[in-house]
Amino acid sequence: MTIPCLIFLVIAAGVFAAAPVRPAILAVYLGGLMLLPIADYGEAATAGGFPFWIVGPALPTETLVAKTWIAPLAALILATIRDGRTLAAWRPGLVDLPMALWCAWPALGGLWVEAPSPAPWLAALQVLGCWGLPWVLGRAWFSGPQARIVLLRGIALAGVACLPFAVLEGVRGPFLHDLVYGPHPFRADGALRYVGFRPLGFFINGNLYGIWVAAAALAAIWCALARQGGRGGPLVAALALGVALASQSAGALLLLLMALALLATWRARGVLPLLAAGFLAAAGLLALHVSGVVPVEHIGRNTALGQAVLDGFRAVGRGSFLWRISQDLKSLAVFEGDLATGVAVWDWWRAAGTRPWGLLMLMAGQYGLVAVAAVFAGLAAVVMSVLVRLRGTGAWRPEAAALPLAAIVLMALGDAMLNAFFLFPAVLAAGAMAGAARAPRATDGAS
């Protein structure tokens, strides 16, 4: 990864020298996540067989070098050099505590286990880089109303930038990563779609590509309908939506549809209470699932209701959902530790011969429900505070730019229930929404 990263840093410096600060941050951060190689997983990851042990860089693992911290670190350093006064003017508050807790929590791993893996200080640095730095970028440079619109435009363009992936790989299947960087560990995973192939680009998994372009389509549609995308806004929205549809990622497209429904019905009576009830119901179900109190496998296999549910999922082609739940249950059977604090070992599931496929379950085993609450409940709390503040505001008005950002965060959280990775631009979006509506004025042409 050394040569691509060096080339990236040179290009990033040029971008900051030529562009205003906020667009430069987005170009470097989003561009790095899109175009850099995933990580250095070694030859074993592509030697044959399905590398189920690769969980991606959303959690600390033995793979230390990853683009998910290289890109935000480069963006933060260059933004600070160019516009340090904006960062200096930012004052952390209570809203930052959940993210701060999550970034610090792995450093405490050595206090309750004998052999944490990776080492606590390395784990904390990985979490800080992947999660903490995008949060800081959002808090410092994108917290104002106009800055949020700039962020939405950047996310929208990040979807249109995937058009070459959609065209080239949609026809002949994923090949670009192999061509540019070498073999991809998940090249064939879910690549064959209903029509042609699902593109992969330089993402760790086709599902991450799917949620990336779906979130971009949402941002582009909002910019077009709110008339914040300029003359080319409708074209950008059409292209971004086309790229999202071409991904043929059913789960991501369903989340996009739900997010659009939220925006379309935002001013209808009862939407906010219904959403709050959904949050509480989801939290309760997830708590029961993680705890293992409910005998899900027994219900599914040995009851009429369970069989009806299984048959329904199979009928609509969602058998993978059931498979993921089965992997969770197998992994929980070998979990040995305190569910509140986890075991501070990244491959705690190894004895099961498989692993949980969702980030929430992986996080619960590694760092416990404290970490889950800091990340999932912390981000959900930011979303709910924004929704409460914007109740009664039209969804397609410029001053409601935080609303589509909140929807993107919800899409990311929903996707992370079933996938081991995370849509990290959603962390930047959450940071942009957090705190007071008014943000420090950026200097040096930051807009």
Side-chain angles (χ1 to χ4, degrees):
M1 286 186 69
T2 303
I3 294 177
C5 288
L6 290 176
I7 295 173
F8 167 73
L9 293 176
V10 172
I11 295 174
V15 169
F16 270 90
V21 173
R22 289 191 183 104
I25 290 173
L26 295 177
V28 170
Y29 179 52
L30 299 178
L33 292 182
M34 286 179 56
L35 300 176
L36 282 173
I38 304 161
D40 186 9
Y41 290 114
E43 295 182 1
T46 55
F50 186 69
F52 72 91
W53 61 88
I54 296 180
V55 300
L59 290 172
T61 68
E62 60 185 1
T63 303
L64 302 179
V65 180
K67 64 180 176 181
T68 45
W69 63 259
I70 293 172
L73 181 60
L76 181 61
I77 291 174
L78 291 169
T80 303
I81 293 172
R82 174 77 180 275
D83 182 33
R85 284 179 289 178
T86 294
L87 181 62
W90 168 54
R91 295 293 180 269
L94 292 176
V95 73
D96 301 294
L97 283 180
M99 185 57 67
L101 173 61
W102 168 224
C103 292
W105 190 245
L108 304 176
L111 298 180
W112 62 77
V113 297
E114 293 183 359
S117 175
W121 67 274
L122 280 175
L125 286 178
Q126 289 185 65
V127 171
L128 176 64
C130 296
W131 297 83
L133 297 188
W135 176 269
V136 171
L137 289 171
R139 291 283 282 128
W141 277 280
F142 293 94
S143 289
Q146 280 302 122
R148 295 186 187 116
I149 293 174
V150 173
L151 175 55
L152 283 165
R153 291 172 182 164
I155 294 174
L157 291 175
V160 176
C162 291
L163 183 59
F165 301 152
V167 172
L168 296 173
E169 295 191 332
V171 175
R172 56 174 295 189
F175 71 95
L176 290 173
H177 189 281
D178 290 28
L179 179 66
V180 177
Y181 297 125
H184 190 294
F186 295 111
R187 173 179 172 177
D189 184 30
L192 187 62
R193 296 280 100 179
Y194 312 99
V195 179
F197 299 88
R198 178 175 60 189
L200 179 61
F202 304 114
F203 294 88
I204 188 173
N205 188 279
N207 287 326
L208 179 56
Y209 172 90
I211 193 64
W212 178 286
V213 295
L218 177 67
I221 292 170
W222 183 90
C223 287
L225 294 179
R227 298 182 180 179
Q228 297 301 306
R231 290 185 177 181
L235 177 60
V236 170
L239 289 174
L241 181 58
V243 171
L245 293 173
S247 75
Q248 303 181 77
S249 286
L253 292 174
L254 177 61
L255 289 171
L256 170 60
L257 185 62
M258 294 171 65
L260 289 172
L262 173 64
L263 297 182
T265 61
W266 175 239
R267 300 189 71 174
R269 181 177 298 179
V271 170
L272 192 56
L274 183 62
L275 193 60
F279 270 128
L280 293 176
L285 290 173
L286 287 170
L288 291 173
H289 179 51
V290 172
S291 67
V293 171
V294 178
V296 177
E297 188 171 13
H298 171 76
I299 294 173
R301 295 182 182 276
N302 302 308
T303 68
L305 175 61
Q307 284 299 313
V309 172
L310 292 177
D311 292 341
F313 274 108
R314 295 190 184 104
V316 297
R318 295 293 94 201
S320 64
F321 176 77
L322 304 173
W323 178 84
R324 290 164 194 254
I325 292 178
S326 71
Q327 305 315 295
D328 288 351
L329 298 176
K330 291 178 182 178
S331 301
L332 282 173
V334 301
F335 176 79
E336 296 181 356
D338 189 330
L339 197 54
T341 57
V343 296
V345 175
W346 74 274
D347 58 347
W348 57 270
W349 34 262
R350 185 77 71 169
T354 185
R355 65 167 173 84
W357 224 247
L359 179 62
L360 186 147
M361 291 293 295
L362 287 167
M363 186 180 293
Q366 188 171 357
Y367 291 116
L369 294 180
V370 172
V372 171
V375 176
F376 285 81
L379 293 178
V382 171
V383 169
M384 286 304 299
S385 68
V386 167
L387 298 182
V388 170
R389 191 170 68 231
L390 291 177
R391 65 186 185 279
T393 303
W396 313 108
R397 299 180 62 84
E399 58 268 28
L403 190 55
L405 291 176
I408 288 173
V409 175
L410 288 178
M411 292 174 66
L413 290 174
D415 186 74
M417 302 294 182
L418 299 176
N419 292 296
F421 41 76
F422 196 80
L423 182 68
F424 280 117
V427 179
L428 194 153
M433 293 187 300
R438 298 184 63 182
R441 177 178 296 177
T443 59
D444 196 19
S447 62

